[in-house]
Structures are given as C-alpha cells and as structure tokens.
C-alpha cells in the first residue's frame, strides 16, 4: 500500500514537469507516425481514392488549374486535395504518394489538437486523449486513405474549439478564426455544416439548463456568430429569386439515394468509434452533465448530436458511417476524461483497476489494428491483386466488365466496361470472352437480372472477402461464349 502511494506521489510530481509532458507528447506523435506510415502504400486503391486522384490531377495539379478551381471561380478551397496533387505531381501517382497528405495530417493532428484540448481539460486528460487517438483504428484507417477525412476532422474540431474559447473566454476575435476554420472544413466536405446544430444546441442548453454561464455568453457574441449566417442565407434567397439558382446547387445535385437504415447506420458508427471508447465516453458524458460542467456538455453534444442527425437524414439522402468520423476526437476525449475520473475516484488502492480500464481501451485498439495490418489488407478489398489475376489469364480480345470500372481500368491499364450500364440483353450480344470483376455490397441494385445472367452463364473463378461485420467481398467470373458453363 505504501509502495502504491509512493508511486502515485512520484507520478503526480513527475507528470507536472514540462519535460515529462512534452516528452510523452513527442513519443505519442512518433507512435502515431509509425502506425500511419506502416504499409501505407501496400493496400490497393478503392473506388473513392480513384475519385480523389482523378479530381486532384484534373483540377489542382498546376497553378493555373488551382486558380481556376478555387474562389471566385469555384466555391471551395480543398487543401488536402490541393496538397495531394502537388505530391503526386512530384512523386507520381501511386498508392503511397496519393495517401501521403492524409497520413501527414493524421500525424500532425496529435500535437495540433493537443494544445487547445489541454486548455480545456488539462494535460493528463489531453495526453490520454492523444494516446487513444494515436492508436484509434478508425483514425489510422482514414490516415491511410487518399481521402479528405483527416483534414475534415482537424478543421472541424479546431473550428468548434475556436467557438468554445470565444464563448468561454469572451474573445470575439476567436469567432473570426472559427469562420475561417469552418470554411476550410466545409471545403473538405459539406457534412461539416453539422457543427452549426452543435453550436445552436449548446447555446440553447446553456440558456435553458442551470449551468453557470460562461464569460462570453453575451448577445454581442451571439450576434457576431449569427449575422454572417443570416447574411449568407439572405444572399442565397436573393440569388435564387433572381436567377433560379444558388451557390451550392451543383453540390446538392451530387446527393445520392439512401442505401442503409438509420439503426444499422448507428450500429456501424458505434463499432467504427469502438464500443469500449463509445461506452466509456457516453457514461462519462452523463457523469459530467450531472456535475454541470460546461466542457462536458459541449463535448457530449459534439459527440452525440452529429451521428443522430446523420441517422435522421439517412432515409432521405445518402449517408454513411464515415460522415461521423469528424466527431471522433470528442468521443475519445470523453473516454479519456472517464479514465482520469476513475483514477481520481478510485484513490490509491483502486489505481490498478483504473489502469485496467485504460489497458482495455488500448487492447481493443491493438486487436483491431492487428486485423487491419495482418489479415484484412487495410480493411479494403485487394483490387490490385484481383485485376492482376485477370490480367495474367486474359487473352487478346477478352472484355473486362466491373462494378468499379474506373478502379479496374486504373490497375488494368485499359478501359473496362461499367457493369451498371449493361443489361442482360447487352451481355448476350457480346461474342467475346468476358471477365467480370464484381464487388459487393450495394453495386448490383437495379441490375439483378444481369447478375442472374452472370451466375447462370459464367464460371466463378475466385472469391475473396474481408473479415468485417459487413458483407464485403469480391467475385471474379469468366464467360466464354464458345463453351457451356461447367455444371
């Protein structure tokens, strides 16, 4: 008992020294870098990464193209795509170079978010948060993707922190910083607009609930926050009345039909965050609300509200679990706060149990990462290997049809036919051997007749899948019009 007390006293004394804090942050950042750059180029592209590569090279690979695709010519400044285009221009287009910027932003997120978070929750919780974020499988995955999600999360989180400091400390200038960061977040993906409901609900609950009001909870600051929104909406109304159009009509036209159910979507979001993290974060959030802590209220709303809104929108538009990724820091911070609270409440004798909870969170992340790196090919189907399988066996004149034609074309080096554009009658007219590279889920909707034709007439040669909770697999068929299908 005395040993535990001495260890506790030594830990408290040492952790309060700056060199210890900065040293731990440096080691955590190194860990994050190692996990994000390990096998970065080994995983094959998936279809959305091909879209990013094509967009980057077509729109942002030269100064002239950049100027032609940012304001005033276009609406957004997608920094992650702009930087990715420059890297690929220098290093060439490949899996490693395309993902380099996402990985760098994923690593830099650790020290960048640490400092504002530290001012809110203190350095012990901030360090635990950064450790958990460094090993978070969801964050590792998006740091190894040629997509915009790590930059979206960074700008989105910094924007909410800027708003929080403006209201908490009565610093109106922080609201200008908020709008700059908000614009950069929305430039990455329009789903960042969900931070506005977070802000509105937080201010409303501050007004309604018996929480001590922050120094900046004033009409002046709320007007500074609201006036740009009102002016923007009025301008859109004027533009629509005058021209029948509005600034973001082209963005809204890209909205696709729903593909999931709200409950199932929430379940996938929960597993993506990690059930141990989510459960501890949720209950610590309730604990902080009971203590009437404003930071707890803010983090709880920032964690819970966006996924709920995404689920509510699900029956009407295309929404997927990755749209909730931008909330990850708030979930992890609440969980880290729960670990710190357990240490405080447990006292000297309960320190081992509190450490056990932290190790459960780390062990869960480690298990998921083991699957990710060693078994599940970076949690994505191996398109490169599948196309190589076909390429080694196809002959001159053979035709390749794929559910992801741009992706198959990239690895094949020649154009492939898009499966969704072909009816069974179209397939029957082709008199050359056909290779089918088919990915599931969700890619056969509306073409069940064509799929039935393939299953009846073509030979299944290869089947591969991911060991994940969703059905996610790839099939390779071959149809030879000169031979009957093998029984």
């Amino acid at each position: 008992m005395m040993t535990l007390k001495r260890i506790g006293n030594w830990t408290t004394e040492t952790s309060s020294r700056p060199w210890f804090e900065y040293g731990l942050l440096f080691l955590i950042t190194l860990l994050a870098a190692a996990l994000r750059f390990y096998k970065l180029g080994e995983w094959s592209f998936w279809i959305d990464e091909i879209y990013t590569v094509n967009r980057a090279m077509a729109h942002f690979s030269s100064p002239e193209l950049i100027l032609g695709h940012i304001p005033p010519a276009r609406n957004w400044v997608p920094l992650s795509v702009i930087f990715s285009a420059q890297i690929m221009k220098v290093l060439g287009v490949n899996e490693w170079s395309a993902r380099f910027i996402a990985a760098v932003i994923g690593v830099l997120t650790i020290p960048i978010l640490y400092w504002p978070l530290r001012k809110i929750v203190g350095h012990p919780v901030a360090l635990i948060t950064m450790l958990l974020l460094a090993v978070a499988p969801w964050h590792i995955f998006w740091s190894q993707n040629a997509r915009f999600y790590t930059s979206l999360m960074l700008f989105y989180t910094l924007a909410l922190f800027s708003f929080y400091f403006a209201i908490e400390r009565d610093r109106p200038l922080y609201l200008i910083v908020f709008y700059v960061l908000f614009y950069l977040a929305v430039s990455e993906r329009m789903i960042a607009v969900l931070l506005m409901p977070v802000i509105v609900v937080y201010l409303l609950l501050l007004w309604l609930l018996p929480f001590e009001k922050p120094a900046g909870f004033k009409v002046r600051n709320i007007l500074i926050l609201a006036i740009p929104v009102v002016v923007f909406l009025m301008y859109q109304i004027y533009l629509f009345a005058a021209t029948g159009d509005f600034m973001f009509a082209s963005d809204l036209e890209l909205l696709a039909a729903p593909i999931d159910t709200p409950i199932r979507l929430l379940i996938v979001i929960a597993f993506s965050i990690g059930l141990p993290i989510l459960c501890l974060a949720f209950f610590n959030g309730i604990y902080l609300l009971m203590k009437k802590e404003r930071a707890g209220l803010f983090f709880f709303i920032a964690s819970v509200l966006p996924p709920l809104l995404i689920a509510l929108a699900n029956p009407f538009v295309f929404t997927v679990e990755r749209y909730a990724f931008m909330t990850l820091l708030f979930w992890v911070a609440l969980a880290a706060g729960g670990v710190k609270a357990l240490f405080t409440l447990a006292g000297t004798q309960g320190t081992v149990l509190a450490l056990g909870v932290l190790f459960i969170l780390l062990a869960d992340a480690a298990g998921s990462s083991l699957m990710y790196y060693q078994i599940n090919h970076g949690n994505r189907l191996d398109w490169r290997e599948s196309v190589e399988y076909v390429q080694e066996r196809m002959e001159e004149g053979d035709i390749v049809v794929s559910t992801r034609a741009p992706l198959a074309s990239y690895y094949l080096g020649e154009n492939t036919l898009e499966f969704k554009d072909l009816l069974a009658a179209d397939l029957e007219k082709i008199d050359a051997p056909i290779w089918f590279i088919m990915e599931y889920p969700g890619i056969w909707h509306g073409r069940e007749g064509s799929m039935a034709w393939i299953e009846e007439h073509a030979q299944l040669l290869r089947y591969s899948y991911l060991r994940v909770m969703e059905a996610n697999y790839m099939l390779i068929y071959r149809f030879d019009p000169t031979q009957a299908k093998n029984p």
Side-chain angles (χ1 to χ4, degrees):
M1 180 174 172
M2 288 300 296
T3 302
L4 285 175
K5 186 175 181 179
R6 289 172 182 170
I7 292 174
N9 292 337
W10 178 86
T11 302
T12 302
E13 180 182 349
T14 305
S15 63
S16 64
R17 297 175 179 175
W19 64 265
F20 182 78
E21 176 186 355
Y22 303 154
L24 277 181
L25 180 61
F26 177 73
L27 292 176
I28 292 169
T29 305
L30 282 183
L31 174 63
L35 292 172
R36 281 149 186 78
F37 279 94
Y38 178 58
K39 294 189 174 183
L40 181 64
E42 183 165 327
W43 328 125
S44 61
F45 284 128
W46 61 292
I47 187 63
D48 283 17
E49 290 185 293
I50 293 296
Y51 296 152
T52 298
V53 169
N54 291 341
R55 181 190 178 200
M57 301 310 291
H59 295 164
F60 302 106
S61 58
S62 70
E64 295 78 15
L65 286 172
I66 293 173
L67 291 175
H69 289 86
I70 62 174
R74 298 290 178 92
N75 293 324
W76 309 119
V77 182
L79 291 180
S80 66
V81 183
I82 293 173
F83 290 143
S84 293
Q86 311 320 305
I87 296 296
M88 287 187 285
K89 187 177 178 180
V90 174
L91 301 180
V93 177
N94 55 62
E95 292 86 349
W96 195 92
S97 63
R99 295 168 182 153
F100 177 79
I101 292 299
V104 168
I105 294 174
V107 174
L108 293 179
T109 292
I110 302 299
I112 290 174
L113 291 184
Y114 175 77
W115 299 108
L117 182 64
R118 182 186 188 276
K119 293 181 181 297
I120 299 173
V121 299
H123 75 269
V125 173
L127 283 172
I128 296 172
T129 299
M130 293 309 142
L131 175 60
L132 294 176
L133 187 63
V135 301
W138 210 13
H139 199 270
I140 293 171
F141 175 75
W142 287 115
S143 296
Q144 293 198 324
N145 263 276
R147 296 295 280 164
F148 44 78
Y149 287 102
T150 53
S151 50
L152 168 64
M153 175 191 155
L154 179 60
F155 292 133
Y156 175 91
T157 306
L158 288 173
L160 281 175
F161 281 165
S162 297
F163 157 78
Y164 182 81
F165 288 131
I167 299 300
E168 194 69 20
R169 301 183 178 185
D170 194 17
R171 300 283 181 85
L173 287 179
Y174 274 100
L175 294 176
I176 298 175
V177 177
F178 159 76
Y179 270 112
V180 172
L181 293 167
F182 175 52
Y183 173 73
L184 293 176
V186 174
S187 292
E188 299 294 337
R189 195 69 169 186
M190 280 194 70
I191 195 67
V193 298
L194 288 184
L195 63 73
M196 284 300 185
V198 170
I199 289 171
V200 171
V201 171
Y202 176 67
L203 292 174
L204 184 62
L205 291 180
L206 275 183
W207 178 53
L208 293 175
L209 298 178
F211 281 76
E212 182 180 354
K213 304 302 183 276
F217 192 65
K218 298 176 179 178
V219 173
R220 178 197 63 190
N221 291 333
I222 293 175
L223 286 176
I224 293 173
L225 189 66
I227 286 174
V229 177
V230 173
V231 171
F232 174 77
L233 292 176
M234 290 178 64
Y235 175 69
Q236 296 306 309
I237 292 171
Y238 163 77
L239 196 63
F240 184 77
T243 66
D245 203 356
F246 50 93
M247 285 180 63
F248 306 107
S250 60
D251 297 287
L252 295 179
E253 287 173 1
L254 298 175
L255 294 176
I259 62 170
D260 217 332
T261 63
I263 297 300
R264 187 175 180 278
L265 181 60
L266 287 174
I267 292 173
V268 177
I269 290 173
F271 275 90
S272 298
I273 294 168
L275 288 182
I277 290 284
L278 184 140
C279 292
L280 183 56
F282 182 83
F283 286 104
N284 184 50
I286 299 297
Y287 171 72
L288 295 175
L289 292 179
M290 293 171 62
K291 293 179 64 178
K292 294 184 172 55
E293 292 193 12
R294 289 194 302 271
L297 174 65
F298 182 68
F299 277 61
F300 190 75
I301 295 169
S303 300
V304 173
L305 184 59
L308 291 178
L309 293 176
I310 291 169
L312 287 174
N314 178 257
F316 310 102
V317 295
F318 175 85
T319 56
V320 285
E321 86 289 341
R322 56 184 176 267
Y323 289 174
F325 174 72
M326 59 192 180
T327 69
L328 182 62
L329 185 279
F330 297 98
W331 287 105
V332 174
L334 281 175
V339 172
K340 175 62 166 56
L342 288 174
F343 275 105
T344 302
L345 295 172
T348 303
Q349 293 182 338
T351 298
V352 174
L353 290 177
L355 277 173
V357 172
L358 177 59
F359 276 102
I360 287 173
L361 301 181
L362 295 173
D364 180 67
S368 297
S369 293
L370 182 64
M371 289 285 292
Y372 175 85
Y373 288 115
Q374 301 299 327
I375 298 173
N376 262 356
H377 188 71
N379 285 358
R380 64 205 85 188
L381 293 168
D382 195 343
W383 273 88
R384 180 171 52 203
E385 184 183 64
S386 295
V387 172
E388 287 175 356
Y389 175 89
V390 171
Q391 198 169 30
E392 291 170 358
R393 291 161 177 78
M394 65 185 296
E395 299 177 358
E396 186 176 355
D398 287 6
I399 294 172
V400 178
V401 174
S402 179
T403 51
R404 304 295 190 190
L407 186 52
S409 298
Y410 172 82
Y411 283 115
L412 192 63
E414 60 184 76
N415 290 333
T416 63
L417 298 180
E418 179 63 58
F419 172 72
K420 68 180 180 181
D421 297 332
L422 299 173
L423 299 172
D426 300 318
L427 296 173
E428 290 176 351
K429 294 177 183 178
I430 300 176
D431 58 2
I434 309 173
W435 293 86
F436 296 93
I437 308 177
M438 319 295 287
E439 177 188 332
Y440 187 88
I443 41 69
W444 298 338
H445 297 328
R447 288 291 181 268
E448 286 81 3
S450 301
M451 194 59 229
W453 187 92
I454 293 171
E455 291 173 340
E456 181 180 352
H457 295 87
Q459 181 183 9
L460 177 62
L461 298 178
R462 199 167 189 266
Y463 172 84
S464 56
Y465 65 95
L466 296 181
R467 294 174 177 85
V468 293
M469 61 181 176
E470 297 181 276
N472 201 334
Y473 56 87
M474 182 177 292
L475 307 172
I476 296 178
Y477 291 87
R478 184 178 185 274
F479 169 70
D480 188 341
T482 64
Q483 298 179 3
K485 181 183 175 183
N486 292 333

